[in-house]
Amino acid sequence: MILLERYRDFLPITSRTPLITLHEGNTPLIRVENFEKYLGLKNVRIYLKYEGMNPTGSFKDRGMVMAIAKALEKGARYTICASTGNTAASAAAYSARTGLKSVVLIPEGKIALGKLAQAMIYGAKVVQINGNFDRCLELVRYLSENYDFELVNSINPYRIEGQKTAAFEIVDELGRAPDYHFIPVGNAGNITSYWKGYKEYREAGKMSNLPRMMGFQAEGAAPIVKGHVVEKPETVATAIRIGNPASWKKAEQARDESGGVIDTVSDDEILKAQRLIASLEGIFCEPASAASIAGIIKYRDVFKDGDVIVATLTGHGLKDPNVVIGNIEKPITVNPNVDDVLKAIGR
Ligand code: F0G
């Protein structure tokens, strides 16, 4: 069943809402036993919610399908968003699918190659800004307030509504909520969505427990952890290169109500975690997503016997090939004969 139908009772769907889909959601929840062993954890289960398996390769599709459905319901013709890349890709895809025109504002030179290619091929009007994501967001807020553009960033409440379905899927599969939920934090919409989803599902009697929300920002882009706006955010994880998150207060609320934390991980820890989870488990996520893996590594000592841990891998690794090519030793080239190939293999 498509996402909007499956969770219809929990979503703002009316008889006039078009039930559009690119078959988003229903993403795998993968147990990672090699990683558990690597951490030296015996009676602790870790699962990754692999959101890279969504149609445009990130969790954004869950929120976007809802936001675009509501935009269509009210007769919008144009969508607009600011983006570090994934929102742009998703907005462009769902707009294309439903005949809307999409405009995306991105920080020039600071979005991963795959995401830029997506926005372009889906036919969005891509405008690069000589400034960062935070400035892009200010501009699209203004434009959506003063012109007939439908804003599809996560300040659009329908985005949050759609994204909370990831929490529902986790509970449906595990039969309970995890004890800890690890998640990267950028503009802070997703941590807000998961917490809302978990709370609503508990209210509906689907489970009796709630997780601690464990959010992670990159060290160079950690406004919530530092307690002030970061004017010039910097991180290799361009998806979360954000200095003034829109859902700042709601993220703090999720942290505090759940008894969790919002903490930092360094770029080095992010890249190591990305490589670790790929080489240990065969799961390739983008750098921002690996912040949640780096978070688990950082907090490995807090887990107790029997704990169930879920981490969201927000985006697919193929989004950002350059970060891999630039950080791992390049393959060697040899002459095309058996001896040279065996020598290169080391056999
Ligand atoms: N991971 C990935 C891969 C992302 O693209 C984003 C946000 C996040 C994590 C953080 O999620 O913003 O809800 O806290 N990307 C946005 C974008 C900002 O424009 O694609 P958040």
Side-chain angles (χ1 to χ4, degrees), residues 333-345:
T333 305
V334 300
N335 289 321
N337 62 69
V338 172
D339 284 349
D340 282 5
V341 172
L342 280 173
K343 204 166 140 214
I345 300 166

Side-chain angles (χ1 to χ4, degrees), residues 161-177:
E161 292 301 309
Q163 280 171 215
K164 76 187 180 190
T165 58
F168 298 165
E169 287 179 10
I170 291 166
V171 174
D172 284 344
E173 193 156 342
L174 296 177
R176 52 164 291 178

